Amino acid sequence: MDLGDEKIEESAGYASKLERGYSVTPWQVTGVVDYNKIVKDFGTRLITPEIIEKLQKFSGIIHPLLSRGFFFSHRDLDLVLDAYGNGENFYLYTGRGPSGHVHMGHLMPWFFTKFLQDTFGSRLLFQITDDEKFLYSQHLSLQEVEKYAYDNILDVIAMGFDPKLTRIIIDTKNIQTLYPLYLEIAKRLTFSTAKAVFGYKPSSNIGMIGFPAIQAAPCFLPSLIEKKPTRVLIPAAIDQDPYWRITRDIAEKMGYYKPAQVHSKFVPSLELNGKMSSSRPTGAIFTTDDPETIESKISGAYTGGQPSVGLQRMLGGDPDACPVFWYLSHFFDDGKDSFERSLKCRTGNLLCGECKSDLTTQTKLFMSEFTRRRDQAKNQVDSFLYEENPFD
Ligand code: TYM
């Protein structure tokens, strides 16, 4: 993000330490993220085979995003699963900051959220932080953010979340619901904590400084809706973790469970390094891209291949360093296809052009179906919006 990045990057607290070789904040990811190290740096826990097995008992399958290690870290996922086994339901909570169109990176945590909703029949609160994107952006007006909020809601609905179990909270529209919780949270968080965690500076605007309490509020809303302490599980990429860390610190003092998390890695950019991000649109595939744009972005993608066909045949490529392979393996190929593809690539029996062509075909197919669902979503928006007594 613009203003936020510039202001926050240099001095950010635990979430951003470039001397570690990477920096991860809710606003920007730079460097090569070492996911084993981030678990130590952030104080989260790796998802173990035991936890995967616990989850499999309820779902019957091991979700590919778990077997491939894309969801890799958690806080209290085991507690949520154990409690569910003992008859205690939980809410899911996730969200989107509407600063532009949705790209394929954003969809990943939402696929997993849908899988969890389907498995556990959980109610889902989906927060749209239009306030955040206005406050942290140098160039977006409130009206522009509102436009993206509506546009992004179509993507959320197109994911196929259950309309009876899902409510979308738009911060500026649902502020009456969030505000009492915001106050209780904000009163318990000091500026020095917010500064240490998010790296605020004297020049940060005062809206930015208060915002984390707004993103924390839906962690406790389920307890108010259910009129009893209710567990919440948040699927998101690890960049959002700073919010949950400060929320967990105050949860029990407020009489709530600490919110649990399941963290994903980042979907890479189609260009060289870094995560897929709206700020680098040529490396990102948006759900609003037309087939020609998809084709041209994939054709310009970085690969793990050699500079010439001859060298590729002779030396083979490196699928581990290839975003095209990454996309195919995480979105489209099954485990067997992916293994065969990587073997053929390493032995020089597959050219980058072939992988790009496969990815283009699959992505276009996926997006044409997604576009159809987005169009249908236009008639469903009202039934997803959060209202008082949201699930009655
Ligand atoms: P936002 O809009 O930046 O991102 C939305 C979701 O997408 C994840 N994400 C990614 N996941 C994988 N690969 C990527 N390249 C990638 N880029 C983004 C984010 O982790 C997030 O899960 N402040 C939040 C909005 C929010 C929220 C929440 C997110 C409000 N409440 C609760 C998660 C959970 C934001 O701006 O997300």
Side-chain angles (χ1 to χ4, degrees), residues 26 70 93-98 103 105-106 108-110 127 129 132-133 211 215 234-240 243-244 264-267 275-277:
F70 184 70
Y93 161 42
T94 196
R96 159 76 181 143
H103 59 58
H106 301 126
M108 289 302 242
W110 304 349
Q127 184 180 33
T129 52
E132 175 193 16
K133 294 301 152 167
F211 172 74
Q215 181 150 330
I234 308 170
I238 189 94
D239 61 336
Q240 301 296 310
Y243 290 110
W244 320 133
S264 80
K265 298 178 181 172
F266 300 110
V267 171
K275 69 159 191 162
M276 181 166 277
S277 158

Side-chain angles (χ1 to χ4, degrees), residues 10 18 25 65 71 82 111 122 124 139-140 153 180 200-201 212 215 228 232 283 322 325 333 344 348 381:
E10 306 149 40
L18 269 172
T25 72
L65 292 178
F71 274 87
D82 288 344
F111 280 130
S122 306
L124 164 65
H139 64 275
L140 285 172
I153 285 173
Y200 295 121
K201 291 163 68 173
Q215 181 150 330
K228 60 174 185 197
V232 169
C322 179
F325 177 80
D333 286 348
K344 278 167 126 183
V381 174

